[in-house]
Amino acid sequence: LMKNLKSIFYTLFLSIFMGQTIAAQDWANLNKYQNENSTLKPITANQKKVVFMGDSITEGWPFLDLFTNKPYLNRGISGQTTPQMLIRFRADVIALKPSVVLIMAGTNDIAGNTGPSTLEMITDNIFSMAELAKAHQIKVILCSVLPAYDFSWKKGLHPAEKIATLNAMIKKYADANKILYLDYYSTMVNEQKGLKSTYSEDGVHPNKAGYEVMTPLAEKAISKVLSKY
Protein backbone atom coordinates (compact mmCIF):
# COMPACT_ATOMS: atom_id res chain seq x y z
CA LEU A 1 0.00 0.00 0.00
CA MET A 2 2.80 2.39 0.92
CA LYS A 3 4.54 1.68 -2.37
CA ASN A 4 1.35 2.40 -4.26
CA LEU A 5 0.83 5.64 -2.36
CA LYS A 6 4.41 6.73 -3.05
CA SER A 7 3.94 5.95 -6.71
CA ILE A 8 0.70 7.93 -6.84
CA PHE A 9 2.23 10.94 -5.07
CA TYR A 10 5.31 10.80 -7.29
CA THR A 11 3.18 10.71 -10.44
CA LEU A 12 1.04 13.57 -9.12
CA PHE A 13 4.15 15.60 -8.28
CA LEU A 14 5.61 15.06 -11.73
CA SER A 15 2.38 16.00 -13.48
CA ILE A 16 2.05 19.20 -11.46
CA PHE A 17 5.72 20.10 -11.79
CA MET A 18 5.89 19.36 -15.49
CA GLY A 19 2.63 21.19 -16.09
CA GLN A 20 3.98 24.27 -14.33
CA THR A 21 7.24 24.01 -16.28
CA ILE A 22 5.47 23.80 -19.62
CA ALA A 23 3.20 26.71 -18.72
CA ALA A 24 6.19 28.77 -17.61
CA GLN A 25 8.35 28.18 -20.68
CA ASP A 26 6.97 31.25 -22.48
CA TRP A 27 6.49 33.44 -19.41
CA ALA A 28 6.90 36.63 -21.43
CA ASN A 29 4.60 35.37 -24.22
CA LEU A 30 7.22 35.79 -26.91
CA ASN A 31 5.18 33.45 -29.06
CA LYS A 32 2.16 35.75 -29.30
CA TYR A 33 3.44 38.01 -32.08
CA GLN A 34 6.07 35.68 -33.52
CA ASN A 35 4.19 34.95 -36.75
CA GLU A 36 3.12 38.56 -37.24
CA ASN A 37 6.66 39.80 -36.66
CA SER A 38 8.10 37.37 -39.21
CA THR A 39 5.57 38.23 -41.92
CA LEU A 40 5.46 42.02 -41.71
CA LYS A 41 4.98 43.72 -45.04
CA PRO A 42 7.47 46.44 -45.99
CA ILE A 43 6.31 50.02 -45.62
CA THR A 44 6.59 52.74 -48.25
CA ALA A 45 9.59 55.04 -48.37
CA ASN A 46 7.75 58.03 -46.90
CA GLN A 47 6.24 56.11 -43.97
CA LYS A 48 7.67 55.67 -40.49
CA LYS A 49 7.00 52.49 -38.53
CA VAL A 50 5.73 52.98 -34.97
CA VAL A 51 5.35 50.30 -32.28
CA PHE A 52 3.04 50.57 -29.28
CA MET A 53 4.38 48.43 -26.43
CA GLY A 54 2.11 47.73 -23.48
CA ASP A 55 -0.47 45.60 -21.74
CA SER A 56 -4.24 45.14 -22.24
CA ILE A 57 -4.80 48.88 -22.46
CA THR A 58 -2.60 48.87 -25.54
CA GLU A 59 -3.81 45.53 -26.88
CA GLY A 60 -7.44 46.66 -26.70
CA TRP A 61 -6.81 49.82 -28.71
CA PRO A 62 -8.88 49.65 -31.94
CA PHE A 63 -6.00 50.55 -34.24
CA LEU A 64 -7.79 49.77 -37.50
CA ASP A 65 -10.62 52.14 -36.63
CA LEU A 66 -8.62 54.99 -35.09
CA PHE A 67 -5.22 54.90 -36.83
CA THR A 68 -6.34 54.73 -40.44
CA ASN A 69 -3.71 53.69 -42.99
CA LYS A 70 -0.83 54.17 -40.55
CA PRO A 71 2.10 51.74 -40.23
CA TYR A 72 1.50 51.43 -36.48
CA LEU A 73 2.04 48.08 -34.81
CA ASN A 74 0.17 47.06 -31.66
CA ARG A 75 2.35 44.91 -29.41
CA GLY A 76 0.25 45.01 -26.27
CA ILE A 77 -0.39 41.82 -24.29
CA SER A 78 -3.18 41.62 -21.74
CA GLY A 79 -2.10 41.18 -18.14
CA GLN A 80 1.60 41.79 -18.74
CA THR A 81 3.98 43.42 -16.33
CA THR A 82 7.14 45.39 -17.10
CA PRO A 83 9.61 42.48 -16.59
CA GLN A 84 7.67 40.46 -19.16
CA MET A 85 7.72 43.38 -21.59
CA LEU A 86 11.43 43.88 -21.06
CA ILE A 87 12.10 40.25 -21.96
CA ARG A 88 10.19 40.51 -25.23
CA PHE A 89 11.33 44.04 -26.09
CA ARG A 90 13.99 42.89 -28.55
CA ALA A 91 11.65 40.56 -30.44
CA ASP A 92 8.57 42.79 -30.42
CA VAL A 93 10.23 46.19 -30.83
CA ILE A 94 13.94 46.30 -31.71
CA ALA A 95 13.84 43.52 -34.31
CA LEU A 96 11.01 45.32 -36.13
CA LYS A 97 13.24 48.39 -36.65
CA PRO A 98 10.62 51.06 -35.96
CA SER A 99 11.31 54.77 -36.01
CA VAL A 100 9.39 55.28 -32.76
CA VAL A 101 8.22 53.19 -29.82
CA LEU A 102 5.55 54.21 -27.32
CA ILE A 103 5.93 52.47 -23.96
CA MET A 104 2.96 52.39 -21.60
CA ALA A 105 3.33 50.00 -18.66
CA GLY A 106 3.02 49.61 -14.91
CA THR A 107 -0.66 49.00 -14.16
CA ASN A 108 -0.28 45.23 -13.82
CA ASP A 109 2.91 45.57 -11.78
CA ILE A 110 1.03 47.66 -9.23
CA ALA A 111 -1.71 45.01 -9.28
CA GLY A 112 0.94 42.37 -8.52
CA ASN A 113 0.16 40.22 -11.56
CA THR A 114 3.59 38.58 -11.51
CA GLY A 115 4.37 39.19 -7.85
CA PRO A 116 5.00 42.20 -5.63
CA SER A 117 6.76 45.14 -7.29
CA THR A 118 8.07 48.38 -5.90
CA LEU A 119 7.77 51.54 -7.98
CA GLU A 120 11.54 51.46 -8.40
CA MET A 121 11.36 47.94 -9.83
CA ILE A 122 8.74 49.13 -12.32
CA THR A 123 10.72 52.19 -13.41
CA ASP A 124 13.92 50.14 -13.70
CA ASN A 125 12.22 47.98 -16.31
CA ILE A 126 10.59 50.90 -18.15
CA PHE A 127 13.84 52.85 -18.25
CA SER A 128 15.75 49.76 -19.43
CA MET A 129 13.33 49.45 -22.36
CA ALA A 130 13.84 53.13 -23.17
CA GLU A 131 17.62 52.75 -23.06
CA LEU A 132 17.53 49.65 -25.27
CA ALA A 133 15.46 51.56 -27.81
CA LYS A 134 17.78 54.57 -27.79
CA ALA A 135 20.80 52.30 -28.23
CA HIS A 136 19.19 51.06 -31.44
CA GLN A 137 18.34 54.56 -32.75
CA ILE A 138 14.64 54.19 -31.98
CA LYS A 139 12.92 57.33 -30.74
CA VAL A 140 11.11 56.80 -27.43
CA ILE A 141 7.82 58.15 -26.12
CA LEU A 142 7.22 57.32 -22.46
CA CYS A 143 3.51 57.28 -21.71
CA SER A 144 1.80 57.94 -18.41
CA VAL A 145 -0.04 55.09 -16.72
CA LEU A 146 -3.78 55.64 -16.88
CA PRO A 147 -5.51 56.55 -13.61
CA ALA A 148 -7.27 53.79 -11.65
CA TYR A 149 -9.04 54.09 -8.31
CA ASP A 150 -9.26 50.30 -7.90
CA PHE A 151 -8.64 47.10 -9.90
CA SER A 152 -11.66 44.97 -10.71
CA TRP A 153 -9.59 41.74 -10.64
CA LYS A 154 -7.71 42.57 -7.43
CA LYS A 155 -9.67 44.96 -5.25
CA GLY A 156 -8.43 46.88 -2.24
CA LEU A 157 -4.87 47.68 -3.37
CA HIS A 158 -5.51 51.46 -3.45
CA PRO A 159 -3.51 52.05 -6.64
CA ALA A 160 -4.45 55.69 -7.26
CA GLU A 161 -1.62 57.31 -5.32
CA LYS A 162 0.94 54.77 -6.54
CA ILE A 163 0.01 55.50 -10.15
CA ALA A 164 0.32 59.25 -9.60
CA THR A 165 3.77 58.77 -8.03
CA LEU A 166 4.87 56.37 -10.76
CA ASN A 167 3.90 58.88 -13.43
CA ALA A 168 5.90 61.58 -11.68
CA MET A 169 8.93 59.26 -11.67
CA ILE A 170 8.52 58.49 -15.38
CA LYS A 171 8.16 62.18 -16.25
CA LYS A 172 11.23 63.11 -14.22
CA TYR A 173 13.31 60.51 -16.06
CA ALA A 174 11.89 61.54 -19.43
CA ASP A 175 12.69 65.20 -18.84
CA ALA A 176 16.20 64.42 -17.61
CA ASN A 177 16.91 62.26 -20.68
CA LYS A 178 15.22 64.45 -23.31
CA ILE A 179 12.51 61.87 -23.96
CA LEU A 180 8.95 62.89 -24.80
CA TYR A 181 6.54 62.20 -21.95
CA LEU A 182 3.00 61.55 -23.21
CA ASP A 183 0.48 62.53 -20.53
CA TYR A 184 -2.80 60.66 -20.93
CA TYR A 185 -3.33 60.79 -17.17
CA SER A 186 -4.17 64.48 -16.73
CA THR A 187 -6.90 64.42 -19.37
CA MET A 188 -8.54 61.20 -18.13
CA VAL A 189 -8.33 61.45 -14.33
CA ASN A 190 -11.31 62.25 -12.08
CA GLU A 191 -11.47 63.91 -8.66
CA GLN A 192 -10.76 60.59 -6.87
CA LYS A 193 -7.65 60.04 -9.01
CA GLY A 194 -9.49 57.32 -10.87
CA LEU A 195 -10.39 56.97 -14.53
CA LYS A 196 -13.35 59.11 -15.57
CA SER A 197 -16.46 56.95 -15.99
CA THR A 198 -17.07 58.56 -19.38
CA TYR A 199 -13.90 56.90 -20.62
CA SER A 200 -14.18 53.43 -19.08
CA GLU A 201 -16.65 50.74 -18.06
CA ASP A 202 -14.48 49.09 -15.41
CA GLY A 203 -12.34 52.00 -14.17
CA VAL A 204 -9.14 50.61 -15.71
CA HIS A 205 -9.56 49.88 -19.43
CA PRO A 206 -10.60 52.63 -21.83
CA ASN A 207 -13.83 52.30 -23.76
CA LYS A 208 -14.27 53.72 -27.26
CA ALA A 209 -14.60 57.26 -25.89
CA GLY A 210 -11.41 56.78 -23.89
CA TYR A 211 -9.44 55.61 -26.90
CA GLU A 212 -10.85 58.50 -28.93
CA VAL A 213 -9.25 60.83 -26.37
CA MET A 214 -5.95 58.95 -26.35
CA THR A 215 -5.57 58.60 -30.12
CA PRO A 216 -5.03 62.29 -31.02
CA LEU A 217 -2.68 62.67 -28.04
CA ALA A 218 -0.62 59.76 -29.34
CA GLU A 219 -0.71 61.11 -32.90
CA LYS A 220 0.49 64.53 -31.73
CA ALA A 221 3.37 62.98 -29.76
CA ILE A 222 4.39 60.76 -32.68
CA SER A 223 4.34 63.72 -35.08
CA LYS A 224 6.47 65.76 -32.70
CA VAL A 225 9.07 63.02 -32.37
CA LEU A 226 9.13 62.24 -36.09
CA SER A 227 9.59 65.92 -36.93
CA LYS A 228 13.05 65.64 -35.38
CA TYR A 229 14.15 62.85 -37.72
Side-chain angles (χ1 to χ4, degrees):
L1 179 62
M2 288 298 295
K3 285 184 178 180
N4 288 339
L5 283 172
K6 285 181 180 179
S7 177
I8 291 167
F9 281 124
Y10 181 71
T11 303
L12 181 63
F13 170 79
L14 277 181
S15 65
I16 293 171
F17 177 77
M18 290 303 292
Q20 289 176 341
T21 302
I22 291 168
Q25 282 178 349
D26 192 13
W27 181 72
N29 209 348
L30 284 157
N31 196 50
K32 181 176 176 68
Y33 292 110
Q34 190 175 49
N35 289 338
E36 289 181 47
N37 290 343
S38 64
T39 57
L40 282 177
K41 295 178 182 178
I43 60 175
T44 61
N46 63 337
Q47 289 181 315
K48 299 291 186 182
K49 191 185 297 176
V50 176
V51 175
F52 287 64
M53 170 61 92
D55 50 35
S56 58
I57 293 168
T58 297
E59 186 176 12
W61 206 319
F63 271 38
L64 294 179
D65 294 334
L66 297 177
F67 294 118
T68 309
N69 299 321
K70 296 289 180 66
Y72 295 173
L73 302 175
N74 188 324
R75 291 298 179 265
I77 297 182
S78 179
Q80 282 216 324
T81 55
T82 57
Q84 292 173 304
M85 292 181 210
L86 180 57
I87 288 173
R88 67 183 178 90
F89 196 79
R90 286 184 179 273
D92 286 345
V93 179
I94 293 171
L96 308 184
K97 298 181 179 179
S99 298
V100 182
V101 61
L102 291 86
I103 302 170
M104 180 166 58
T107 298
N108 292 317
D109 300 69
I110 291 173
N113 281 20
T114 52
S117 295
T118 64
L119 296 184
E120 288 74 19
M121 289 163 66
I122 299 169
T123 54
D124 281 349
N125 293 325
I126 293 172
F127 302 161
S128 291
M129 285 188 271
E131 287 159 17
L132 275 170
K134 289 180 75 175
H136 288 81
Q137 292 76 52
I138 300 167
K139 296 289 185 181
V140 179
I141 297 173
L142 289 178
C143 306
S144 69
V145 177
L146 295 189
Y149 182 74
D150 204 358
F151 299 135
S152 58
W153 68 98
K154 197 172 286 188
K155 291 184 176 293
L157 294 179
H158 309 292
E161 290 295 339
K162 292 178 184 177
I163 290 172
T165 302
L166 176 59
N167 283 336
M169 294 167 73
I170 295 171
K171 186 178 187 305
K172 182 179 179 181
Y173 173 88
D175 291 345
N177 290 274
K178 298 180 180 178
I179 294 172
L180 182 61
Y181 174 73
L182 174 47
D183 183 11
Y184 299 121
Y185 181 93
S186 297
T187 303
M188 305 181 78
V189 70
N190 64 19
E191 59 275 7
Q192 284 87 34
K193 294 189 177 180
L195 188 55
K196 289 179 181 177
S197 59
T198 310
Y199 300 143
S200 176
E201 313 305 331
D202 65 358
V204 176
H205 301 90
N207 55 20
K208 185 181 179 183
Y211 285 119
E212 286 174 347
V213 168
M214 294 169 67
T215 296
L217 293 174
E219 287 278 35
K220 184 178 179 181
I222 292 166
S223 295
K224 186 173 182 178
V225 168
L226 287 177
S227 70
K228 298 177 182 178
Y229 259 83

